[in-house]
Amino acid sequence: MSAVSTLKYTIEEYLEIEAVALEKHEFYQGQIIAMAAASIAHNQISRNTLYGIDKHLKESGNCEIFPSALKIHSELNSLFTYPDLSIICGEIETLVKHNDVVTNPSVLIEVLSLSTQDYDRGSKFKLYRDIPSLKEYVLISSLEVLVEKYDRQPDNTWILHEYKTQNDSFKILSADIEIQVDSLYRDVQFETKI
């Protein structure tokens, strides 16, 4: 990801620019950052995950899953971002006058690529932890079979669980569902590591 400009923008300026932009941009501390295009493997994993989770959510209750077109905002640190997938449980809360910006995700899911994995595991996760409603953070690699799931604890620490085989399964506690790792990787040919 690279900054569009070294100019500092206000949140309102960013939202106005983003409303008419042809591609998606993140925003953090006055900087507008262009989002990279996603590979075939990345898109296949996103599709498989969305389909699998949505199917379970329709049966189970009050949570909804959204694809990457939905903006998430962390009010504590000014971040606006487009996670690959977002699960919102309960009533959806939006930014005032902006019904395309959600402020209360329960679960955020990112598909890792070679160019984004360090950011998604590091700086972005640090910023996501400032979202009070966020309970779970799931990272799915497009380079190998690997799911990393972080669970927020009552003392606001996070515990990591790793799933490294297609026979593994993991639970998304907020939505009360279990996901088979092999379902995420259906028909996927991994990105090449360079």
Side-chain angles (χ1 to χ4, degrees), residues 144-157:
E144 62 184 325
V145 174
L146 175 62
V147 176
E148 298 165 276
K149 182 172 179 292
Y150 292 88
D151 296 305
R152 187 189 296 260
Q153 303 303 297
D155 65 356
N156 274 333
T157 58

Side-chain angles (χ1 to χ4, degrees), residues 165-179:
T165 73
Q166 296 220 12
N167 295 327
D168 286 337
S169 64
F170 63 96
K171 291 187 178 183
I172 295 181
L173 302 172
S174 301
D176 192 29
I177 59 174
E178 187 166 352
I179 306 295

Side-chain angles (χ1 to χ4, degrees), residues 87-187:
I87 298 175
I88 295 111
C89 297
E91 187 174 335
I92 297 172
E93 297 173 14
T94 60
L95 191 63
V96 175
K97 298 181 183 176
H98 296 279
N99 68 355
D100 62 336
V101 181
V102 171
T103 60
N104 68 322
S106 302
V107 182
L108 295 177
I109 300 170
E110 295 285 5
V111 178
L112 303 176
S113 65
L114 195 57
S115 64
T116 65
Q117 63 185 350
D118 292 340
Y119 175 58
D120 288 341
R121 285 184 177 120
S123 302
K124 190 180 234 183
F125 182 36
K126 184 178 181 193
L127 295 170
Y128 280 164
R129 292 193 303 255
D130 284 341
I131 302 172
S133 62
L134 186 64
K135 305 294 182 228
E136 297 166 85
Y137 184 49
V138 180
L139 301 169
I140 306 168
S141 178
S142 66
L143 306 171
E144 62 184 325
V145 174
L146 175 62
V147 176
E148 298 165 276
K149 182 172 179 292
Y150 292 88
D151 296 305
R152 187 189 296 260
Q153 303 303 297
D155 65 356
N156 274 333
T157 58
W158 291 79
I159 294 180
L160 167 64
H161 305 277
E162 291 183 319
Y163 306 92
K164 297 180 178 182
T165 73
Q166 296 220 12
N167 295 327
D168 286 337
S169 64
F170 63 96
K171 291 187 178 183
I172 295 181
L173 302 172
S174 301
D176 192 29
I177 59 174
E178 187 166 352
I179 306 295
Q180 296 296 130
V181 171
D182 66 344
S183 71
L184 306 178
Y185 290 104
R186 181 177 49 82
D187 299 328

Side-chain angles (χ1 to χ4, degrees), residues 46 81 129 190:
S46 294
T81 187
R129 292 193 303 255
F190 293 113

